[in-house]
Amino acid sequence: MPRESWRVRLGGGLRAYGLIVAMWVRSTMAYRASFAMTAFGTFVACALDFVAILLMFSHVDSLGGYALPEIAFLYGTSSTAFGLADLLIGSMDRLGRRVRDGTLDSLLLRPVPVLAQVAADRFALRRLGRILQGALVLGYALVALDIDWTVVRVLMVPVMIVSGAAIFAAVFVAGAAFQFLAQDAAEVQNAFTYGGTTLLQYPPSLFAKDLVRGVTFMVPLAFVNWYPALYVLGRETPLGLPAAVAFLPPVVAVVSCAAAGAVWRAGLRSYRSTGS
Protein backbone atom coordinates (compact mmCIF):
# COMPACT_ATOMS: atom_id res chain seq x y z
CA MET A 1 0.00 0.00 0.00
CA PRO A 2 1.42 3.47 -0.81
CA ARG A 3 2.94 5.42 2.05
CA GLU A 4 0.34 8.17 1.75
CA SER A 5 -2.42 5.59 2.18
CA TRP A 6 -0.82 4.39 5.42
CA ARG A 7 -0.69 7.97 6.65
CA VAL A 8 -4.34 8.50 5.80
CA ARG A 9 -5.32 5.26 7.54
CA LEU A 10 -3.24 6.10 10.59
CA GLY A 11 -4.69 9.60 10.81
CA GLY A 12 -8.21 8.25 10.39
CA GLY A 13 -7.63 5.63 13.06
CA LEU A 14 -6.28 8.15 15.55
CA ARG A 15 -9.16 10.51 14.85
CA ALA A 16 -11.70 7.73 15.37
CA TYR A 17 -9.94 6.65 18.54
CA GLY A 18 -10.06 10.22 19.85
CA LEU A 19 -13.77 10.58 19.06
CA ILE A 20 -14.67 7.32 20.81
CA VAL A 21 -12.53 8.20 23.82
CA ALA A 22 -14.14 11.64 24.03
CA MET A 23 -17.57 10.00 24.01
CA TRP A 24 -16.67 7.73 26.93
CA VAL A 25 -15.04 10.60 28.85
CA ARG A 26 -18.21 12.68 28.51
CA SER A 27 -20.22 9.70 29.70
CA THR A 28 -17.93 9.22 32.69
CA MET A 29 -17.91 12.89 33.70
CA ALA A 30 -21.71 12.97 33.69
CA TYR A 31 -21.37 11.20 37.07
CA ARG A 32 -18.39 12.99 38.57
CA ALA A 33 -18.84 11.69 42.11
CA SER A 34 -18.84 8.12 40.79
CA PHE A 35 -15.72 8.86 38.72
CA ALA A 36 -13.94 10.36 41.74
CA MET A 37 -14.75 7.36 43.91
CA THR A 38 -13.70 4.77 41.32
CA ALA A 39 -10.48 6.65 40.53
CA PHE A 40 -9.70 6.87 44.24
CA GLY A 41 -10.47 3.17 44.60
CA THR A 42 -8.03 2.37 41.80
CA PHE A 43 -5.42 4.60 43.47
CA VAL A 44 -5.82 2.81 46.81
CA ALA A 45 -5.82 -0.68 45.28
CA CYS A 46 -2.58 0.08 43.42
CA ALA A 47 -1.05 1.72 46.48
CA LEU A 48 -1.43 -1.53 48.42
CA ASP A 49 1.28 -3.04 46.20
CA PHE A 50 3.76 -0.44 47.41
CA VAL A 51 2.53 -0.84 51.00
CA ALA A 52 3.55 -4.50 50.70
CA ILE A 53 7.05 -3.35 49.71
CA LEU A 54 7.16 -0.98 52.68
CA LEU A 55 6.21 -3.86 54.97
CA MET A 56 9.10 -5.89 53.56
CA PHE A 57 11.50 -3.04 54.30
CA SER A 58 10.24 -2.83 57.87
CA HIS A 59 12.09 -6.13 58.37
CA VAL A 60 15.04 -5.83 55.95
CA ASP A 61 17.44 -3.08 54.89
CA SER A 62 17.67 -4.11 51.25
CA LEU A 63 15.91 -6.34 48.76
CA GLY A 64 18.12 -8.13 46.29
CA GLY A 65 20.85 -5.66 47.19
CA TYR A 66 18.64 -2.62 46.45
CA ALA A 67 17.61 -0.01 49.02
CA LEU A 68 14.04 1.29 49.34
CA PRO A 69 14.54 4.41 47.16
CA GLU A 70 15.96 2.23 44.38
CA ILE A 71 13.03 -0.20 44.60
CA ALA A 72 10.67 2.80 44.61
CA PHE A 73 12.35 4.03 41.41
CA LEU A 74 11.77 0.68 39.71
CA TYR A 75 8.22 0.58 41.04
CA GLY A 76 7.40 4.13 39.97
CA THR A 77 8.75 3.82 36.43
CA SER A 78 7.06 0.46 35.86
CA SER A 79 3.70 1.50 37.30
CA THR A 80 3.60 4.84 35.49
CA ALA A 81 4.51 3.31 32.12
CA PHE A 82 2.00 0.51 32.55
CA GLY A 83 -0.65 2.95 33.78
CA LEU A 84 -0.33 5.00 30.60
CA ALA A 85 -0.65 1.90 28.40
CA ASP A 86 -3.54 0.57 30.48
CA LEU A 87 -5.36 3.91 30.21
CA LEU A 88 -4.90 4.25 26.46
CA ILE A 89 -5.31 0.67 25.28
CA GLY A 90 -6.18 -1.49 28.29
CA SER A 91 -9.60 -2.39 26.88
CA MET A 92 -7.96 -4.79 24.44
CA ASP A 93 -8.48 -7.67 26.88
CA ARG A 94 -12.22 -7.58 26.09
CA LEU A 95 -11.62 -8.75 22.53
CA GLY A 96 -12.00 -12.43 23.39
CA ARG A 97 -15.50 -11.81 24.69
CA ARG A 98 -16.45 -10.04 21.46
CA VAL A 99 -15.05 -12.91 19.40
CA ARG A 100 -17.05 -15.45 21.43
CA ASP A 101 -20.39 -13.66 21.28
CA GLY A 102 -20.00 -12.37 17.70
CA THR A 103 -20.26 -8.67 18.56
CA LEU A 104 -16.94 -8.08 16.82
CA ASP A 105 -18.89 -8.33 13.56
CA SER A 106 -20.53 -4.97 14.26
CA LEU A 107 -17.10 -3.34 14.49
CA LEU A 108 -16.08 -4.80 11.14
CA LEU A 109 -19.03 -3.11 9.45
CA ARG A 110 -17.97 0.38 10.48
CA PRO A 111 -15.63 2.46 8.29
CA VAL A 112 -13.16 2.75 11.18
CA PRO A 113 -10.09 0.59 11.93
CA VAL A 114 -11.09 -2.25 14.24
CA LEU A 115 -7.99 -1.73 16.40
CA ALA A 116 -9.03 1.85 17.16
CA GLN A 117 -12.54 0.76 18.09
CA VAL A 118 -11.40 -2.08 20.36
CA ALA A 119 -8.71 0.02 22.05
CA ALA A 120 -11.12 2.87 22.83
CA ASP A 121 -14.07 0.67 23.77
CA ARG A 122 -15.34 1.55 27.28
CA PHE A 123 -12.39 3.89 27.86
CA ALA A 124 -11.88 3.84 31.65
CA LEU A 125 -10.82 7.27 32.90
CA ARG A 126 -10.63 5.85 36.43
CA ARG A 127 -7.29 4.31 35.45
CA LEU A 128 -5.77 7.73 36.03
CA GLY A 129 -5.60 6.61 39.65
CA ARG A 130 -2.94 4.04 38.75
CA ILE A 131 -0.87 6.63 36.90
CA LEU A 132 -1.10 9.11 39.78
CA GLN A 133 -0.07 6.48 42.32
CA GLY A 134 2.92 5.38 40.27
CA ALA A 135 3.95 9.00 39.64
CA LEU A 136 3.84 9.80 43.35
CA VAL A 137 6.09 6.83 44.18
CA LEU A 138 8.42 7.88 41.36
CA GLY A 139 8.50 11.42 42.74
CA TYR A 140 9.48 10.08 46.17
CA ALA A 141 12.24 7.99 44.60
CA LEU A 142 13.67 10.91 42.64
CA VAL A 143 13.87 12.99 45.83
CA ALA A 144 15.29 10.20 48.00
CA LEU A 145 17.89 8.82 45.58
CA ASP A 146 21.47 9.99 45.89
CA ILE A 147 22.35 10.19 42.20
CA ASP A 148 24.66 12.39 40.17
CA TRP A 149 21.97 13.73 37.84
CA THR A 150 23.55 14.34 34.46
CA VAL A 151 21.55 15.55 31.45
CA VAL A 152 21.49 12.00 30.05
CA ARG A 153 20.15 10.54 33.30
CA VAL A 154 17.48 13.22 33.57
CA LEU A 155 16.30 12.59 30.00
CA MET A 156 16.38 8.84 30.56
CA VAL A 157 13.43 8.98 32.99
CA PRO A 158 10.73 10.36 30.63
CA VAL A 159 12.14 8.35 27.72
CA MET A 160 11.87 5.07 29.62
CA ILE A 161 8.31 5.87 30.72
CA VAL A 162 7.12 6.71 27.19
CA SER A 163 9.01 3.80 25.63
CA GLY A 164 7.81 1.48 28.39
CA ALA A 165 4.21 2.51 27.77
CA ALA A 166 4.66 1.74 24.06
CA ILE A 167 6.15 -1.69 24.84
CA PHE A 168 3.26 -2.52 27.18
CA ALA A 169 0.81 -1.31 24.50
CA ALA A 170 2.44 -3.66 22.00
CA VAL A 171 1.99 -6.55 24.46
CA PHE A 172 -1.69 -5.58 24.88
CA VAL A 173 -2.21 -5.64 21.10
CA ALA A 174 -0.30 -8.90 20.58
CA GLY A 175 -2.22 -10.52 23.44
CA ALA A 176 -5.51 -9.37 21.96
CA ALA A 177 -4.53 -10.81 18.57
CA PHE A 178 -3.89 -14.16 20.27
CA GLN A 179 -7.53 -14.13 21.40
CA PHE A 180 -8.64 -14.49 17.79
CA LEU A 181 -7.34 -18.06 18.07
CA ALA A 182 -7.78 -18.80 21.78
CA GLN A 183 -11.02 -17.00 22.51
CA ASP A 184 -10.78 -17.34 26.30
CA ALA A 185 -7.19 -16.19 26.73
CA ALA A 186 -7.57 -12.84 28.48
CA GLU A 187 -5.73 -14.20 31.53
CA VAL A 188 -2.79 -15.23 29.35
CA GLN A 189 -2.57 -11.64 28.14
CA ASN A 190 -2.87 -10.34 31.71
CA ALA A 191 0.03 -12.55 32.78
CA PHE A 192 2.32 -10.52 30.53
CA THR A 193 0.76 -7.10 31.17
CA TYR A 194 -0.37 -6.93 34.80
CA GLY A 195 2.09 -9.67 35.72
CA GLY A 196 4.83 -7.96 33.79
CA THR A 197 4.50 -4.67 35.62
CA THR A 198 4.62 -6.48 38.96
CA LEU A 199 7.78 -8.29 37.87
CA LEU A 200 9.47 -5.03 36.85
CA GLN A 201 8.74 -3.42 40.22
CA TYR A 202 11.50 -5.57 41.72
CA PRO A 203 15.19 -5.74 40.77
CA PRO A 204 16.39 -8.40 38.31
CA SER A 205 18.80 -9.74 40.95
CA LEU A 206 15.81 -11.42 42.64
CA PHE A 207 14.96 -13.59 39.64
CA ALA A 208 16.53 -16.55 37.89
CA LYS A 209 18.68 -15.73 34.88
CA ASP A 210 16.43 -17.77 32.59
CA LEU A 211 13.50 -15.51 33.50
CA VAL A 212 15.64 -12.40 32.91
CA ARG A 213 16.66 -13.80 29.52
CA GLY A 214 13.01 -14.45 28.69
CA VAL A 215 11.91 -10.87 29.39
CA THR A 216 14.94 -9.56 27.50
CA PHE A 217 15.01 -11.61 24.30
CA MET A 218 11.51 -13.12 24.00
CA VAL A 219 9.00 -10.65 25.47
CA PRO A 220 11.18 -7.53 25.88
CA LEU A 221 9.60 -6.24 29.09
CA ALA A 222 13.05 -5.71 30.63
CA PHE A 223 13.48 -2.69 28.37
CA VAL A 224 10.48 -1.00 30.01
CA ASN A 225 12.57 0.00 32.99
CA TRP A 226 15.19 -2.52 34.11
CA TYR A 227 17.99 -1.61 31.71
CA PRO A 228 17.49 2.18 31.59
CA ALA A 229 16.78 2.30 35.34
CA LEU A 230 19.95 0.37 36.14
CA TYR A 231 21.89 2.91 34.08
CA VAL A 232 20.34 5.77 36.05
CA LEU A 233 21.08 4.00 39.34
CA GLY A 234 24.66 3.24 38.32
CA ARG A 235 24.10 -0.53 38.54
CA GLU A 236 25.55 -3.24 36.33
CA THR A 237 23.24 -4.81 33.77
CA PRO A 238 22.22 -8.45 34.24
CA LEU A 239 23.35 -11.20 31.84
CA GLY A 240 26.63 -9.36 31.25
CA LEU A 241 25.11 -7.15 28.56
CA PRO A 242 26.86 -3.87 27.69
CA ALA A 243 25.69 -0.65 29.34
CA ALA A 244 24.58 0.61 25.91
CA VAL A 245 21.40 -1.53 26.16
CA ALA A 246 20.05 1.21 28.45
CA PHE A 247 19.58 3.38 25.34
CA LEU A 248 17.62 0.77 23.38
CA PRO A 249 14.07 1.17 24.82
CA PRO A 250 12.88 3.55 22.03
CA VAL A 251 14.17 1.13 19.39
CA VAL A 252 12.64 -1.86 21.17
CA ALA A 253 9.35 0.04 21.47
CA VAL A 254 9.21 0.76 17.73
CA VAL A 255 10.08 -2.83 16.80
CA SER A 256 7.59 -4.21 19.33
CA CYS A 257 4.78 -2.01 18.03
CA ALA A 258 5.55 -2.99 14.43
CA ALA A 259 5.58 -6.69 15.34
CA ALA A 260 2.34 -6.33 17.33
CA GLY A 261 0.72 -4.59 14.36
CA ALA A 262 1.69 -7.47 12.07
CA VAL A 263 0.36 -10.03 14.55
CA TRP A 264 -2.87 -8.05 14.89
CA ARG A 265 -3.43 -7.95 11.12
CA ALA A 266 -2.79 -11.69 10.88
CA GLY A 267 -5.22 -12.39 13.71
CA LEU A 268 -7.90 -10.16 12.20
CA ARG A 269 -7.57 -11.88 8.83
CA SER A 270 -8.09 -15.25 10.51
CA TYR A 271 -11.38 -14.19 12.13
CA ARG A 272 -14.35 -16.13 10.76
CA SER A 273 -17.19 -14.91 13.03
CA THR A 274 -19.27 -17.21 15.23
CA GLY A 275 -21.45 -18.59 12.45
CA SER A 276 -24.58 -17.66 14.41
Side-chain angles (χ1 to χ4, degrees):
M1 185 175 294
R3 182 179 301 176
E4 188 63 29
S5 297
W6 280 109
R7 290 178 180 175
V8 171
R9 287 171 60 85
L10 178 61
L14 291 175
R15 182 174 180 274
Y17 174 86
L19 291 173
I20 298 171
V21 166
M23 177 191 69
W24 283 107
V25 169
R26 287 195 300 270
S27 175
T28 299
M29 296 311 293
Y31 303 94
R32 298 190 179 186
S34 175
F35 160 69
M37 288 187 289
T38 54
F40 179 73
T42 302
F43 177 91
V44 172
C46 295
L48 291 177
D49 290 338
F50 191 66
V51 170
I53 294 176
L54 294 177
L55 290 175
M56 294 180 195
F57 274 93
S58 67
H59 299 283
V60 298
D61 295 327
S62 64
L63 195 61
Y66 287 68
L68 177 59
E70 294 175 306
I71 298 292
F73 184 67
L74 293 174
Y75 180 100
T77 51
S78 171
S79 294
T80 305
F82 176 75
L84 286 170
D86 191 35
L87 174 69
L88 297 175
I89 205 169
S91 298
M92 298 295 296
D93 59 2
R94 294 192 178 93
L95 180 66
R97 190 181 312 159
R98 284 190 173 275
V99 172
R100 290 195 303 274
D101 61 23
T103 56
L104 184 64
D105 293 4
S106 63
L107 304 187
L108 293 170
L109 297 175
R110 299 170 185 169
V112 176
V114 177
L115 180 59
Q117 296 181 70
V118 175
D121 184 37
R122 297 187 178 276
F123 183 84
L125 196 60
R126 67 177 183 278
R127 291 170 178 159
L128 286 172
R130 179 187 293 275
I131 300 175
L132 176 60
Q133 188 269 334
L136 288 176
V137 174
L138 178 58
Y140 156 74
L142 294 176
V143 172
L145 284 171
D146 183 15
I147 294 177
D148 180 19
W149 287 104
T150 63
V151 174
V152 175
R153 284 194 170 100
V154 170
L155 293 176
M156 187 72 76
V157 176
V159 168
M160 83 167 82
I161 290 174
V162 174
S163 299
I167 293 171
F168 272 126
V171 175
F172 269 114
V173 173
F178 179 66
Q179 294 185 54
F180 282 113
L181 301 176
Q183 299 170 11
D184 195 16
E187 293 307 317
V188 175
Q189 176 182 334
N190 292 342
F192 290 97
T193 51
Y194 291 91
T197 187
T198 301
L199 174 77
L200 299 175
Q201 291 168 359
Y202 297 90
S205 56
L206 289 177
F207 304 102
K209 286 191 175 181
D210 286 341
L211 178 60
V212 177
R213 291 189 187 98
V215 296
T216 298
F217 301 111
M218 296 180 64
V219 182
L221 294 175
F223 291 93
V224 170
N225 71 335
W226 272 356
Y227 291 118
L230 294 180
Y231 174 85
V232 173
L233 296 174
R235 296 271 187 166
E236 293 184 0
T237 60
L239 307 178
L241 296 175
V245 297
F247 300 93
L248 291 180
V251 177
V252 173
V254 171
V255 173
S256 298
C257 288
V263 171
W264 170 264
R265 290 190 293 273
L268 189 59
R269 285 194 297 268
S270 70
Y271 177 66
R272 294 295 181 268
S273 188
T274 60
S276 59

